[in-house]
Amino acid sequence: MAEMDTSSGGGHKKGPGVKKGKKLSTRVDLTPMVDLGFLLITFFIFTTTMSEPTAMRLFLPKDTEKPEDQNKVKASGALSIMLGKDNQIFYYAGELLPDGSNFKSATYKEIRQVIIDKKKSTNPEDFVVVIKPGPEATYKNTVDILDEMAINEVKRYALVDIFDQELQLMAASQK
């Protein structure tokens, strides 16, 4: 028949034939975690040095007490360059004459010589180039003319809006 166990319930049995429970190690090896930590630190240090912002050098006008005197330039030292459609460039030196007789056109190859000639014939303190992109000028044209400023070492130049009279002369010249 069936036997009944009358010993105390749930306790440990000691004696011959009963195996002792093996204690498992609870030690966790943290060596791979330390390696991962150093790899992450190295990665973040490397990426932060690569993400430093780079900026273009900007030349600003000197401060003056009167705001109206701040941006005045001599008309004789100014060279105005207008950018039109289809890589066309128009320019004039000084002030635009009422009849437009000093309004000329050039290509990107020719404009470099115009800038060099104007720079040589003008006092360096008075020389300034006024760049006026037209409504049909492309971003590439604007970048190209800014590159010309860097190539010719023009220290003073400005990007400004184009006048209506200049737009009319450009439209008449492009036809």
Side-chain angles (χ1 to χ4, degrees):
M1 289 220 190
E3 285 182 78
M4 232 163 96
D5 186 16
T6 55
S7 64
S8 61
H12 295 309
K13 289 186 179 179
K14 288 187 179 180
V18 177
K19 290 187 177 180
K20 192 175 186 183
K22 206 177 198 184
K23 287 190 178 178
L24 298 175
S25 172
T26 57
R27 184 174 174 269
V28 177
D29 187 17
L30 293 178
T31 307
M33 193 66 73
V34 172
D35 290 344
L36 179 67
F38 280 115
L39 284 173
L40 285 173
I41 289 170
T42 305
F43 172 76
F44 286 118
I45 288 173
F46 179 69
T47 56
T48 54
T49 56
M50 289 184 63
S51 66
E52 289 180 3
T54 56
M56 189 170 81
R57 182 171 295 207
L58 184 62
F59 295 101
L60 296 174
K62 295 178 183 174
D63 288 333
T64 59
E65 292 181 16
K66 296 179 184 176
E68 60 271 4
D69 293 339
Q70 186 170 359
N71 293 326
K72 286 194 176 180
V73 295
K74 291 184 179 178
S76 61
L79 176 66
S80 298
I81 299 174
M82 282 74 58
L83 308 175
K85 67 178 180 178
D86 300 328
N87 299 329
Q88 289 183 321
I89 299 176
F90 301 95
Y91 70 94
Y92 61 89
E95 291 186 34
L96 183 62
L97 298 176
D99 61 353
S101 60
N102 61 342
F103 191 80
K104 301 173 184 171
S105 67
T107 63
Y108 278 92
K109 291 180 181 178
E110 297 167 344
I111 197 68
R112 182 175 295 173
Q113 192 59 44
V114 170
I115 294 170
I116 291 170
D117 292 343
K118 181 66 177 173
K119 189 175 178 182
K120 284 181 182 177
S121 65
T122 307
N123 183 2
E125 294 177 3
D126 297 336
F127 181 62
V128 65
V129 177
V130 181
I131 303 167
K132 301 177 181 184
E136 296 174 338
T138 63
Y139 184 74
K140 180 188 179 305
N141 296 139
T142 307
V143 171
D144 287 344
I145 202 69
L146 290 174
D147 285 343
E148 285 296 325
M149 298 300 112
I151 291 168
N152 294 310
E153 297 178 359
V154 176
K155 299 290 184 210
R156 296 174 60 194
Y157 58 90
L159 278 165
V160 297
D161 292 331
I162 194 165
F163 297 135
D164 290 334
Q165 182 184 8
E166 294 165 340
L167 277 174
Q168 292 169 359
L169 285 170
M170 283 174 55
S173 301
Q174 289 175 348
K175 290 181 182 179

